[in-house]
Amino acid sequence: MARNTLSRSLHDLGLSAWFGGTLANAVALNAAAGEAGDDRATGRVANAGWDRWTPVNAAAIGAHLVGSVGQLRANRQRVAAQQGVAGMSTLKTLVTVAALGATAYSRVLGQRLSDAGGVPSKSGTRPSRLTKAARADLAAAQQQLDTLQWVIPALTGTLVAISSYAGEQQRPGEVLTGVRNR
């Protein structure tokens, strides 16, 4: 088997940053923003953190996608010949599309909040009473972000697990059995 160190590294490092960064921001940044002093400052702090993360996250996602395409190209014969690999690749693609969609939608919502200026918030994603009363549209965006902040790490964590399974499928014994059973 040929080595694909560059594409595997891009795939793994990009996915690691996408997963780890979104999880860390959900666990730490949003909660820490709630310590900013008042609800308006909480919104500003959370938006500033997520705005800083966005270009890094975009680069991580890009690296992951480039690495994924490289891995698929390098393993195209195995995808066609080894039982179970095409199904795993299809599942991985579907979960990647879902993670991309959730991430993109999350960014649209986050940008809407950022553009609105210090939208009062109890944490980075929980609207304050003032926001609920005065700006129901922004409160709804915050509530959607409160869910998406956990959906994205769940999807990207699923990708990590599928990638681990894919690595197991590349063991020589698995390849031999999968090709024989095809």
Side-chain angles (χ1 to χ4, degrees):
M1 253 187 240
R3 291 186 186 257
N4 302 297
T5 305
L6 179 60
S7 64
R8 188 178 302 264
S9 295
L10 288 170
H11 171 278
D12 292 353
L13 290 171
L15 181 55
S16 297
W18 189 7
F19 168 74
T22 54
L23 182 61
N25 282 335
V27 170
L29 173 65
N30 289 337
E35 306 292 322
D38 66 50
D39 290 351
R40 189 165 298 279
T42 293
R44 279 193 308 271
V45 169
N47 288 338
W50 282 101
D51 288 347
R52 285 185 179 105
W53 170 243
T54 295
V56 175
N57 198 37
I61 292 167
H64 172 68
L65 294 175
V66 167
S68 294
V69 170
Q71 287 296 290
L72 191 56
R73 288 188 69 205
N75 289 288
R76 64 185 172 274
Q77 290 176 333
R78 217 170 48 76
V79 171
Q82 183 181 344
Q83 183 181 24
V85 177
M88 176 278 303
S89 294
T90 300
L91 177 62
K92 189 173 176 185
T93 299
L94 292 172
V95 175
T96 300
V97 168
L100 287 168
T103 300
Y105 186 57
S106 175
R107 186 58 202 146
V108 167
L109 294 172
Q111 190 64 54
R112 186 180 308 158
L113 292 171
S114 188
D115 291 346
V119 177
S121 176
K122 286 298 193 194
S123 73
T125 57
R126 286 196 334 243
S128 70
R129 288 184 184 153
L130 176 63
T131 302
K132 287 179 182 178
R135 295 292 309 264
D137 60 325
L138 296 178
Q142 287 175 322
Q143 289 171 325
Q144 289 174 330
L145 284 169
D146 195 51
T147 300
L148 288 170
Q149 73 177 340
W150 302 110
V151 168
I152 297 165
L155 289 168
T156 54
T158 299
L159 286 172
V160 171
I162 294 169
S163 295
S164 295
Y165 178 72
E168 292 297 311
Q169 286 181 317
Q170 290 182 325
R171 292 176 179 263
E174 292 291 318
V175 173
L176 183 62
T177 300
V179 170
R180 234 188 332 216
N181 290 339
R182 186 102 177 150

